[in-house]
Amino acid sequence: MSKPKADVRKHVLEKSRGLKEKDKTATTTTTTQTFLSKHLKKIYPLSFQRSNSSPSLFSISSSQNSLDSSHTDTTSPQKDQKATLPLPSPTRNMPLIPEKKEIVPVPNIIPQPSMESFHRSLKRCSWITKNSDKVYVQFHDERWGVPVYDDNQLFELLAMSGMLMDYNWTEILKKKEALREAFAGFDPNSVAKMGEREISEIGSNKTLMLAESRVRCIVENAKCILKIVREYSSFSNYLWEYMNHKPVINIYRYPRKVPLRTTKAEALSRDLLRCGFRLVGPVIVHSFMQASGMTNDHLVDCFRFRECVSLAERPWRHV
């Protein structure tokens, strides 16, 4: 009889132990659900609707899966529970649209180099210095070494070269406009017709400061040019034929190498004297040849050297 009682007692103890374990499991499950729902709300802002049955771990997992696949499948694995996304707040979870800002153009404040500073920075022949007058620098940059084929311009350069006996290039160039006005633009036909009255007026011009003897030399040279024109059709033809219609290109690196006279200048000087010209010595004729581009005596490191070489290499254009 004692054995069945022990079995009954053992059965009662096992049943009470099972109830306690069941209550413990239920308590653990409830605690886990509460913990998961609390933290899942922070990550997935879902609102669970109440159903007949309390939410379980399976329902929470199903709702989470429905959220992850909401863009492809709108059906939820459980009909009793629906997961809905909250409507966006007008102030939260909205992308900010940047305001359009008016673009104000920034003025160009980088100083641009002036033409004067540009010309000042160019490498020139060493006899052009910082103290050189502007008219002399301009003459070097624009006229000196450039081939000339016009009779009036050649006559002008020959007359100004003759004045080097009394003045330098800077002083002569400053009088250039006054000289052109006095000598009718250096037209040989007009100058050759000048009489004693015109020669006296030019000689007494205080701006020019030319002696009458110098004025007479220029007038006599104009008459000689007219004789050459009758024989060679132009003064330019005569001069360039003497040069074989090709400028002489010299390669000088140092100013001391540039001569005051050359064999070409000496030969042309003799021929001009034979034709009756005055103030045409070898030094003056060489200066005239340099100014009229018959010879290129720019130093090789001068920026005008290459430019004058390119002008000299052009086909002879004088007719």
Side-chain angles (χ1 to χ4, degrees), residues 33 54-61 78 81:
Q33 289 178 354
S54 60
S56 63
L57 287 173
F58 175 75
S59 65
I60 294 174
S61 175
Q78 299 239 355
Q81 298 179 1

Side-chain angles (χ1 to χ4, degrees), residues 81-82 107 203 209 267:
Q81 298 179 1
K82 296 181 181 179
M209 298 182 65

Side-chain angles (χ1 to χ4, degrees), residues 21-40:
E21 289 179 356
K22 187 175 181 181
D23 293 339
K24 186 178 181 180
T25 303
T27 303
T28 305
T29 303
T30 304
T31 305
T32 305
Q33 289 178 354
T34 305
F35 175 79
L36 288 175
S37 62
K38 181 180 179 181
H39 287 276
L40 283 173

Side-chain angles (χ1 to χ4, degrees), residues 191-207:
V191 176
K193 296 177 182 178
M194 286 184 178
E196 291 297 326
R197 185 173 61 85
E198 289 87 357
I199 293 174
S200 298
E201 289 178 357
I202 296 173
S204 61
N205 191 326
K206 295 182 180 180
T207 302

Side-chain angles (χ1 to χ4, degrees), residues 207-256:
T207 302
L208 298 178
M209 298 182 65
L210 282 178
E212 286 190 14
S213 60
R214 305 300 188 197
V215 178
R216 291 183 188 276
C217 290
I218 295 173
V219 173
E220 291 298 324
N221 288 347
K223 295 177 181 179
C224 294
I225 290 175
L226 295 181
K227 294 178 183 178
I228 289 177
V229 168
R230 287 193 291 267
E231 184 176 355
Y232 293 91
S233 73
S234 70
F235 186 45
S236 177
N237 256 346
Y238 163 77
L239 293 173
W240 285 103
E241 184 176 334
Y242 197 86
M243 302 295 297
N244 295 323
H245 308 292
K246 187 177 181 181
V248 176
I249 300 174
N250 295 312
I251 303 176
Y252 299 127
R253 187 172 298 276
Y254 305 104
R256 64 177 180 270

